[in-house]
Amino acid sequence: MNRLRLSSWLIAAAVVTPLLAQEGDGKLRIIAFGAHPDDCDSRAGGVAARYAALGHHVKFVSVTNGDAGHQSEGGGALAMRRRKEAQEAGRRIGIEYETLDNHDGELVPSLDVRRQVIRKIREWKADMVLSPRPNDYHPDHRYTGVLVQDAAYMVVVPNICPDTPALRRNPVFFYFQDNFQRPNPFRPDVAVSIDDVLEKKIRMQDAHTSQMYEWLPWVAGNLDKVPKDPAARLEWLGRNRGRSVSETVRQTLRKWYGAQADAIRSAEAFELCEYGRRPSDDDIRKLFPFFPNP
Ligand SMILES: [Zn+2]
């Protein structure tokens, strides 16, 4: 191809390929991966609810089936219970929720699971992918981060998983917020206010009965503090799952919200992964259509 033809081809491609959305309806397509069937909810349930309310398409994927996450239940029965809880959680905020059938507590970054992740990103035609960072106390969380990183770029290579059409454009990849310091602390590149959807997010988490009211309190040693009454339980969950905004996240909020930032009470923050497409600040404003005009 000569130079002139190449440049006219590039112009044509720019016209037919929308700047951000892979699909033609103009709506964003976001897919988030967690290790367990309640992980995405706590890190991105708020932004997911906000995207869904604007008609964008969001899918949460749990890479394991959660079959080890309980003090007195386990195996296939627990996996089935948690799949139903996850589906109900997704229904409550208007998103899809899928649970992959890999064992909880035994996840390794194998080629087989990498292929599962590549196919999910392609099938969703994702514009943006969210995942944990590969530094975390839980091996399943760490390897979910590794698996998603390993899928970045591979999603555009047609000879990899040729049974599922490759994406023509690498999505933008972001990590969820965490508090781990080594080898490097989380860097909030983007932060979104979830004040308007905090109640929705708590109601989403409330759907994970086996976790919020049984397993997690049991691990923390406060199972006896969980109220029995559903309304009191929900209120208790809201008090326990609320998170204050850290000073570094507050600074990021100021970048995107300007003068409005200091009034924000709850937020979700994300760090850009270097292995996906690199968005400009202008692209980020389109990918996160929540910020006031600068
Ligand atoms: Zn987890």
Side-chain angles (χ1 to χ4, degrees):
M1 198 183 295
N2 67 35
R3 214 176 178 155
L4 184 68
R5 282 181 57 202
L6 178 66
S7 64
S8 60
W9 179 85
L10 284 172
I11 291 164
V15 171
V16 296
T17 309
L19 182 63
L20 288 157
Q22 307 253 21
E23 276 287 86
D25 70 353
K27 295 296 182 186
L28 295 165
R29 303 189 64 85
I30 296 115
I31 190 165
F33 290 87
H36 307 114
D38 60 318
D39 289 359
C40 292
D41 313 40
S42 60
R43 302 297 168 185
V47 287
R50 294 199 62 180
Y51 281 119
L54 295 174
H56 299 295
H57 310 289
V58 185
K59 178 171 187 168
F60 282 1
V61 177
S62 174
V63 181
T64 78
N65 59 19
D67 63 357
H70 204 275
Q71 67 277 31
S72 58
E73 300 173 15
L78 179 59
M80 294 276 280
R81 183 182 181 199
R82 296 192 66 181
R83 175 168 294 163
K84 283 194 188 125
E85 289 175 345
Q87 282 167 353
E88 171 60 16
R91 194 195 61 76
R92 289 186 184 184
I93 65 161
I95 67 161
E96 277 194 35
Y97 211 133
E98 184 174 356
T99 304
L100 305 182
D101 208 12
N102 302 299
H103 285 302
D104 185 355
E106 297 181 353
L107 187 66
V108 288
S110 66
L111 198 47
D112 170 47
V113 186
R114 187 200 296 175
R115 287 181 180 132
Q116 295 173 28
V117 171
I118 289 169
R119 289 188 179 106
K120 290 301 153 195
I121 295 171
R122 288 179 177 176
E123 285 164 4
W124 194 247
K125 298 186 167 65
D127 301 304
M128 184 159 78
V129 182
L130 308 175
S131 79
R133 295 197 303 158
N135 320 307
D136 198 293
Y137 78 101
H138 197 303
D140 291 350
H141 297 182
R142 283 201 290 278
Y143 297 137
T144 298
V146 170
L147 285 157
V148 174
Q149 283 186 176
D150 289 353
Y153 180 66
M154 285 298 150
V155 294
V156 302
V157 179
N159 273 327
I160 304 297
C161 302
D163 55 359
T164 310
L167 297 179
R168 289 293 293 118
R169 217 168 32 128
N170 207 5
V172 179
F173 288 71
F174 279 98
Y175 301 114
F176 300 138
Q177 184 175 1
D178 62 60
N179 293 318
F180 298 100
Q181 301 296 310
R182 291 177 184 171
N184 55 296
F186 172 81
R187 181 194 67 213
D189 292 311
V190 179
V192 177
S193 166
I194 59 161
D195 285 341
D196 292 348
V197 289
L198 192 58
E199 219 179 289
K200 262 192 191 174
K201 177 174 176 173
I202 301 294
R203 278 197 23 82
M204 176 185 212
Q205 293 181 290
D206 170 70
H208 297 280
T209 307
S210 70
Q211 304 301 294
M212 300 301 138
Y213 306 125
E214 298 172 20
W215 169 239
L216 296 173
W218 184 83
V219 172
N222 59 6
L223 192 57
D224 57 325
K225 305 275 191 318
V226 180
K228 297 280 172 288
D229 169 64
R233 222 162 62 165
L234 188 63
E235 200 265 334
W236 176 86
L237 185 66
R239 264 186 286 127
N240 279 281
R241 304 297 288 186
R243 218 179 273 266
S244 60
V245 175
S246 71
E247 190 42 43
T248 49
V249 170
R250 181 74 64 196
Q251 282 168 18
T252 305
L253 286 169
R254 289 191 189 114
K255 171 177 176 179
W256 298 105
Y257 285 87
Q260 298 176 24
D262 287 354
I264 294 170
R265 283 166 289 119
S266 42
E268 284 169 355
F270 305 93
E271 175 178 328
L272 184 66
C273 165
E274 295 175 295
Y275 310 144
R277 195 156 51 84
R278 306 287 190 97
S280 64
D281 279 5
D282 204 40
D283 292 339
I284 287 177
R285 286 185 182 279
K286 290 178 183 132
L287 284 169
F288 292 87
F290 312 118
F291 307 130
N293 289 326

